[in-house]
Amino acid sequence: VVDSNTVTKVKQALENMIQDPEVKQVLQLEHSEFDTHIEVYNELKLAYKLDDYVFPGVKGIIDNLVINHADKTAIINDVKTTGKSLLDFKDTVEYYNYWMQMGIYTMLVEEYLKEKQLDYEIQHNFVVIDKYNQHYIFPVGIITFTEWYKKTKLALKVANYHLSNDDYSLPYQLIKEKMYL
């Protein structure tokens, strides 16, 4: 349940954000049908079957996906609100495992591009509104995302192990190898 003050505050923050020229550009808010080299998808539902896993796969709804055929890029833009300041967003990414969400979104977009026979570079942005109604676009660097992607694949492997073996006796790392102090 959200009170009317919160709704008003969120609407104001959103309005401020979408008026920002950088946000308009990144999310392609002024995209027209005449911009044939760019495709923009909002709230795009995707699913990806994971072979050799006991669970059927992963699903997600991408907030905003911009495919630029001229640059051969696909940009995943994930819009977030936070009750903290923008400077604390890096900690928020870790606390809420947003890195895993972006990893799964990338798997979904990779499959989507593969189906369209497009070999494009995938880029990532978090578009964030904080508790002060300030907004900022956080691009995700290649090195950072590479680590996130590895962690995402490991998390899926761990889940698959526990589910397929029905073994929850210890954390995966302790089951797989002896840990010395």
Side-chain angles (χ1 to χ4, degrees):
V1 177
V2 179
D3 62 30
S4 63
N5 288 340
T6 302
V7 170
T8 301
K9 183 179 175 182
V10 169
K11 282 183 180 179
Q12 180 184 5
L14 183 61
E15 188 59 37
N16 290 341
M17 186 181 80
I18 64 175
Q19 294 307 316
D20 182 313
E22 184 182 11
V23 172
K24 285 181 183 180
Q25 174 64 32
V26 167
L27 299 179
Q28 288 292 311
L29 297 177
E30 295 177 338
H31 172 261
S32 81
E33 60 191 49
F34 300 110
D35 298 327
T36 56
H37 68 288
I38 293 178
E39 295 178 48
V40 179
Y41 301 95
N42 294 306
E43 297 184 355
L44 179 64
K45 295 178 185 178
L46 296 174
Y48 175 53
K49 182 180 178 338
L50 293 170
D51 294 328
D52 302 324
Y53 283 76
V54 293
F55 49 92
V58 292
K59 294 180 179 183
I61 301 173
I62 312 293
D63 290 339
N64 175 268
L65 176 65
V66 177
I67 298 176
N68 186 322
H69 297 289
D71 294 344
K72 295 191 175 194
T73 58
I75 304 167
I76 300 169
N77 295 302
D78 194 30
V79 180
K80 296 287 186 211
T81 58
T82 179
K84 297 182 177 186
S85 75
L86 292 171
L87 293 174
D88 295 324
F89 187 67
K90 186 175 181 179
D91 295 333
T92 302
V93 168
E94 285 302 315
Y95 183 79
Y96 289 107
N97 297 328
Y98 290 154
W99 55 267
M100 186 183 311
Q101 181 182 19
M102 195 62 87
I104 289 172
Y105 284 175
T106 300
M107 295 171 104
L108 296 169
V109 170
E110 284 173 338
E111 185 64 19
Y112 183 74
L113 293 173
K114 184 178 170 185
E115 289 171 5
K116 291 180 149 243
Q117 298 179 340
L118 300 174
D119 185 21
Y120 289 4
E121 176 189 348
I122 299 175
Q123 300 171 1
H124 313 85
N125 294 312
F126 283 108
V127 182
V128 181
I129 303 172
D130 76 358
K131 68 180 183 177
Y132 304 113
N133 285 349
Q134 295 177 317
H135 60 272
Y136 190 80
I137 300 166
F138 290 93
V140 179
I142 294 169
I143 293 170
T144 298
F145 182 74
T146 300
E147 282 301 311
W148 290 359
Y149 202 56
K150 286 179 191 174
K151 285 174 36 177
T152 300
K153 290 202 172 208
L154 177 59
L156 292 171
K157 180 180 174 181
V158 168
N160 189 59
Y161 172 84
H162 287 298
L163 290 169
S164 61
N165 293 292
D166 196 26
D167 181 1
Y168 308 97
S169 61
L170 289 169
Y172 178 80
Q173 294 84 345
L174 298 177
I175 292 171
K176 287 300 186 183
E177 79 180 49
K178 191 72 167 170
M179 183 181 287
Y180 292 89
L181 302 176

